[in-house]
Amino acid sequence: MQAGTPLVAAIYSRVSDDTRGDQRSVEDQDEENLEACDSNGWKVPAGGRYSDNDISASRFSRKERPDWDRLLGDLAASRYHVLVIWETARGDRKLARWIEFLDLCRDLGILIHVTSHQHTYDVRKRRDYKTLAEEGLDSADDSELTSERLLRDKRKAAKRGLPHGRHLYGYKRIYEIGEDNRRRLVGVVPDEEVRTAVGRGGTVTEYTHAGVCAAVAGTSSFQGLLVCRRSGWPDGRRGRAFER
């Protein structure tokens, strides 16, 4: 590479749970990462921005991260000199995969800029490699700790007869406000509005096939009903809802 030629950078952004469905956190990361590239004189080419929205990087996630996998392939093809991420946990929370990523960058001489650290790491240097390896260990441990807490809370809720899992479609939870102004669960009952809509066109069992579900979910009987969070009606979710 000739002296004075700007380094080519890729930026990667990720958020585990986009509860609003607006990718705001990903956009915020992108903005700060691009500012870091500008301030360092790095060029982000067309196609150099990668993001996985609403996807966890922990070992407990069941979702694939297509852009992270695509980025790793492009890094292996030596398309970039620098990778810019907002924090190390945006990368990979699986320790073995994080170490593989660091090894790839070390072998190819790819720099890693962590925007929240305001620092660019060169993992060919022992101290930089150790720092990011320890960050990966901390990220993996945070995932384990979060999982332990969630399981403990679910067990406690189950023992007390409180909700402790996904809210099943077709049912609603009834709460009352106590003297301390806090909500308390009274019971879980069928949601008659949903059941009436499901039953208008025929019996529940007629809707279990994914193709039929797709047609039924688009009919007027479902208009105005609250459906699956953010994503509408995935085929498998439709089937499970109607089977109930």
Side-chain angles (χ1 to χ4, degrees), residues 52-81:
D52 288 308
N53 191 55
D54 199 22
I55 304 177
S56 171
S58 78
R59 71 181 181 89
F60 303 103
S61 176
R62 298 178 181 178
K63 296 181 181 179
E64 299 294 328
R65 290 195 294 155
D67 261 23
W68 176 253
D69 292 336
R70 184 168 63 89
L71 171 62
L72 293 179
D74 289 343
L75 291 174
S78 299
R79 294 180 181 174
Y80 304 106
H81 307 110

Side-chain angles (χ1 to χ4, degrees), residues 98-109 123 129:
W98 178 252
I99 294 300
E100 289 179 1
F101 161 71
L102 294 182
D103 288 346
L104 173 66
C105 293
R106 179 174 59 185
D107 292 344
L108 297 177
V123 289
Y129 187 100

Side-chain angles (χ1 to χ4, degrees), residues 125-187:
K125 299 177 180 178
R126 180 192 63 81
R127 186 173 296 277
D128 282 5
Y129 187 100
K130 180 181 179 182
T131 297
L132 293 187
E134 289 176 345
E135 288 268 332
L137 179 60
D138 288 342
S139 295
D141 184 61
D142 284 345
S143 295
E144 299 295 325
L145 182 59
T146 298
S147 177
E148 288 179 2
R149 287 172 176 168
L150 289 174
L151 291 175
R152 182 175 63 246
D153 290 345
K154 286 184 177 181
R155 287 193 295 266
K156 287 182 178 179
K159 288 180 180 179
R160 296 167 59 189
L162 299 175
H164 54 280
R166 184 185 295 275
H167 188 165
L168 298 180
Y169 188 79
Y171 295 85
K172 60 182 178 181
R173 295 170 178 172
I174 307 300
Y175 295 89
E176 65 178 11
I177 305 298
E179 295 180 358
D180 57 358
N181 206 33
R182 297 179 64 182
R183 293 197 314 167
R184 290 186 175 84
L185 180 71
V186 176

Side-chain angles (χ1 to χ4, degrees), residues 156-230:
K156 287 182 178 179
K159 288 180 180 179
R160 296 167 59 189
L162 299 175
H164 54 280
R166 184 185 295 275
H167 188 165
L168 298 180
Y169 188 79
Y171 295 85
K172 60 182 178 181
R173 295 170 178 172
I174 307 300
Y175 295 89
E176 65 178 11
I177 305 298
E179 295 180 358
D180 57 358
N181 206 33
R182 297 179 64 182
R183 293 197 314 167
R184 290 186 175 84
L185 180 71
V186 176
V188 179
V189 300
D191 189 329
E192 295 303 329
E193 182 183 4
V194 172
R195 289 175 176 251
T196 300
V198 171
R200 282 176 187 166
T203 63
V204 172
T205 55
E206 291 179 22
Y207 299 130
T208 57
H209 185 274
V212 178
C213 289
V216 171
T219 63
S220 59
S221 64
F222 279 83
Q223 292 179 3
L225 289 179
L226 177 65
V227 295
C228 298
R229 182 177 65 126
R230 300 187 306 276

Side-chain angles (χ1 to χ4, degrees), residues 73-88:
D74 289 343
L75 291 174
S78 299
R79 294 180 181 174
Y80 304 106
H81 307 110
V82 187
L83 172 63
V84 181
I85 54 178
W86 189 75
E87 63 179 5
T88 54

